[in-house]
Amino acid sequence: MRKHLALAVAATAVLAGCGGGESAGSADGKADLRMTIWTSNEEHLALFDEIAAGYTETHPDVTVKFDPIPFESYTTTLTTQIAGGNGPDLAWVLEDSAPDFVGSGALTPLTETLQKTEGYELDDLSDSATALWKNDGDLYAYPFSTSPFGVFVNNDLLKEAGQKSVTGDWTWDEAFATAAKVHEETGEAGIVVRDFDFKGWGNLATVWTGWGARAWSEDGKTCEFNRPPMVAAMTALHQAVFEDEAMPGPGTTADFFAGDAAMTITQISRASLLEEGAFDWDLVPLPSGPSGDYSVVGQAGLGVLKQGANVAAAEEFLAYFTSPENSEKLAQFFPPARTSQLSAETMAKSNPLLSPEQLQAVVVEGIEGGVVKPSHTDSAQIAQTVRSSLDPLWKPGADVQGVLDGVCQQITPLLGS
C-alpha cells in the first residue's frame, strides 16, 4: 500500500500504451465523455451542464457526464477507478496529489492542444497558477481553481455574544478570543476549519502558515512537523480546542452555513451555500499570525487521462470548458488562472454574493501572495501516515512536541522515496 497512489497513476501510462493515447477517439467521431469532480453542489453542476450544453450544440456526437465523487474520498476513488481500467476521460486533480499525477505520465500534455485552439490565449494563464501542473515545460492540467482561503463570519452571532465586527486587520489571538466568547455566550461553535474534522490535516495549513510553519521542506525531503514554528502553531490550536473551546472538538460537527458557528475557514466556492437572509455575514482574509500576514491557496487542476478511450475529444472539450469566455463564468465559484480576469471588478460580474472589496482582499491579494497547500509524491500514503500519527494530538493534555516528533519519525522514510 505504500506506493498505492503512485502505482495507480503510473498504471495509467501503461494502459494508455495499450489503448487510447493523444489521438485516441472513436472512428465515427462519437464520444461519451465522463469527467470526475468533487462537488455535488447544485449551482456548480447547473453551471457545468450549461457549459457542456453549449459544447454539444456544435458537437452533437459528443455527450458529457459530470461524475461527482465525495471530497473526502475523491483521490482514493479516482485512483481505484484508474487502476481498475475504469478511469474517467477528464478529472479534477487536487493539489496534494498533483506531483503524482503530473509526474507519472497519467495525464496527457495539453500545451500543444491549447496553443492551437483559436482564441484560447494560453499565455494569459499566470505562471504561479500553472507551476504545480507543469512538467518539463508542458502543461498537464489546467489550474481549474486557484482559490485562496478566507474566513466567513456570522455577524449576528458575534453581536449576540457582544463582540465587535471582524475586519481584515486582525490576529489569531483575536480570532480565538472572539470564537471562545461566542461559544461561551451562545453555545454555538466559535471557529471551524471546514473539511478538517480532525482528519483532513492539510487544511490546517490555513492556520499553521501564520506561524511560518510548513509540513516539509521546499524540496520535499525533510519533515518540518517537529520544528519550532509548527510546534507553536499546533500548541495554539490545541489550546483553542481543548482549553478555550474556541473550536469544536473531535466528534462535534458545526455547519457555519446553517448558522451553527461564528466563523469558518474555507474558499469562495462555498459562498453558494449561503441562504439569502439567513444571517448577516462577511468574508475577510485569514488572521495574521506571529510571522505576519499570509494567504493559503487551494488548487484543483483539470486534466485528460491518457487511459481514456476518447483522449482527443476530451482535450477539445477541456479547451472549450476552460476558454476565456467559460473561465469568466466559472469564476463565480472558482477563481481563474487567467491574469486578465483576476481583478475584483471582473470577478464581481460573476460573483453577485461577494463585494469587490471582499474579492480584492481575499481572492486577488490572496492569490498574489499565497502559498499552496502541502503536496508531495506518494501523497495518499503520506496523508494517511500523517493523519494516523496526529491522532494522539486530538485529546486533552497531549504532548504536542512528542506527537509531532512521532509524525516526522513516521513520514521521513516516505519523503525521500
Side-chain angles (χ1 to χ4, degrees), residues 55 110-122 312 315-324 338:
Y55 182 78
L110 301 172
T111 303
E112 184 177 355
T113 296
L114 300 182
Q115 285 176 335
K116 291 181 178 179
T117 300
E118 184 177 357
Y120 191 81
E121 301 176 12
L122 181 60
E315 289 177 346
E316 187 173 341
F317 176 69
L318 184 148
Y320 177 86
F321 192 77
T322 64
S323 68
R338 294 182 174 276

Side-chain angles (χ1 to χ4, degrees), residues 23-32 61 309-313:
S23 61
S26 57
D28 58 5
K30 293 183 178 180
D32 296 322
D61 290 332
N310 304 291
V311 174

Side-chain angles (χ1 to χ4, degrees), residues 12 17-18 25 55-56 111 120 176 178 183 188 209 228 232 239 251 273 275 300 332 343 357 390:
T12 307
C18 301
Y55 182 78
T56 55
T111 303
Y120 191 81
F176 285 145
T178 298
H183 179 67
E188 302 291 358
T209 306
Q239 178 177 330
L273 298 174
E275 294 186 9
Q332 178 179 354
S343 71
E357 292 76 18
L390 282 175

Side-chain angles (χ1 to χ4, degrees), residues 157-246:
L157 277 179
L158 264 62
K159 184 177 181 181
E160 183 180 345
Q163 301 300 292
K164 64 181 182 179
S165 298
V166 173
T167 67
D169 184 19
W170 65 324
T171 67
W172 269 111
D173 285 343
E174 293 170 332
F176 285 145
T178 298
K181 195 65 176 178
V182 168
H183 179 67
E184 179 184 347
E185 295 294 329
T186 71
E188 302 291 358
I191 187 166
V192 175
V193 180
R194 191 174 178 89
D195 297 320
F196 164 50
D197 193 28
F198 299 91
K199 299 174 184 176
W201 59 269
N203 285 321
L204 290 182
T206 59
V207 179
W208 75 48
T209 306
W211 277 256
R214 57 187 183 183
W216 39 73
S217 58
E218 188 172 348
D219 64 7
K221 295 181 179 180
T222 304
C223 176
E224 296 197 1
F225 270 97
N226 61 353
R227 298 286 177 88
M230 184 68 83
V231 174
M234 289 299 203
T235 298
L237 187 70
H238 190 274
Q239 178 177 330
V241 174
F242 296 102
E243 297 180 33
D244 302 335
E245 297 186 330

Side-chain angles (χ1 to χ4, degrees), residues 344-367:
E345 293 75 16
T346 300
M347 294 186 67
K349 296 176 184 177
S350 58
N351 284 272
L353 288 175
L354 303 176
S355 69
E357 292 76 18
Q358 290 170 330
L359 290 165
Q360 177 66 32
V362 176
V363 180
V364 177
E365 294 179 13
I367 290 176

